[in-house]
Structures are given as structure tokens and as C-alpha cells.
Amino acid sequence: MSVSLDPVNIAGKLSLIDELWTQKKIAGLNDYEIKLAKLKGEFVWHTHPETDELFVVVSGRLTIRLREGDREGDVVLGPGELYVVPRGVEHCPVAEEETAVMLVEPVGTLNTGDAGGPMTRAAEPL
């Protein structure tokens, strides 16, 4: 049997992550990656022109700043809450305290979307 009978322990996987803003792949679902990351501070403004992006807060607090055209607003998430950033909407995640998140995105989606720059990283297996 090639199927794993072991569940993924999210808290256990998070305990293995030391670096902030680095996405770690913990599972796959069809053409999607299930990823964990620890965040603190402000990320870069970016968009994902080809896909929505799902954020699930595991611990801490996450503010997702959004802007679309001349409209701006913030979505604030606590543990157990999720938000889907629609494709093409410019956003900037901000965490004033260390925050753990789960992300669901198509395989190969870069963390900085179309912005590029020194914080750009593909998901790494954990």
C-alpha cells in the first residue's frame, strides 16, 4: 500500500519551522500545496494574477492589507479564522506578533506573487 496512514500533526510541523516568511509544504491536494509558515513583521505588497490565496491562522493574529484600484481595507484574522484573497487583488500580510498560518495554493505559487525581490521563495518540503 502506497497510501500513508499517518496524519499530519500541524503543531508538530510548526515546531520544526524556525525561519520567518518561509513556506514549508506539509501535504499535497490534487494540484495544490498545503503549506505552513511563521510570520512576523510586514511582508511585501503583491498579487497572484492566476490564483486565489487561502490563509488560515493557526495561532497569533494576521492583518491582510488589501487594495484594489482606489479601494483599500484590512482583514484581521485570529486563530481558527480564514480568508481567501481573490486572484489579482493586491495584498500585504502583516503580523505584529509571531503568527502561524496555513496556506493553500497551486503547486509552484511563489510567496511574493508578481512582486519578486529578495523575499521570494518557493515552498520547501518539511
Side-chain angles (χ1 to χ4, degrees), residues 7 9 18 22 27 29 33 41 76 80 96 98 106 110 122:
N9 183 291
D18 295 321
T22 300
L29 173 70
E33 294 176 322
V76 180
E96 292 187 20
E98 187 172 292
L110 294 177

Side-chain angles (χ1 to χ4, degrees), residues 10-54:
I10 293 170
K13 294 291 187 183
L14 281 168
S15 74
L16 302 174
I17 300 174
D18 295 321
E19 189 177 358
L20 298 173
W21 299 106
T22 300
Q23 298 176 358
K24 302 291 186 177
K25 179 181 174 182
I26 61 166
L29 173 70
N30 299 317
D31 295 330
Y32 287 81
E33 294 176 322
I34 313 301
K35 304 180 273 189
L36 294 175
K38 288 183 178 174
L39 318 176
K40 186 172 182 184
E42 184 171 331
F43 201 54
V44 297
W45 281 96
H46 65 285
T47 63
H48 299 281
E50 303 299 322
T51 185
D52 300 338
E53 183 174 23
L54 171 69

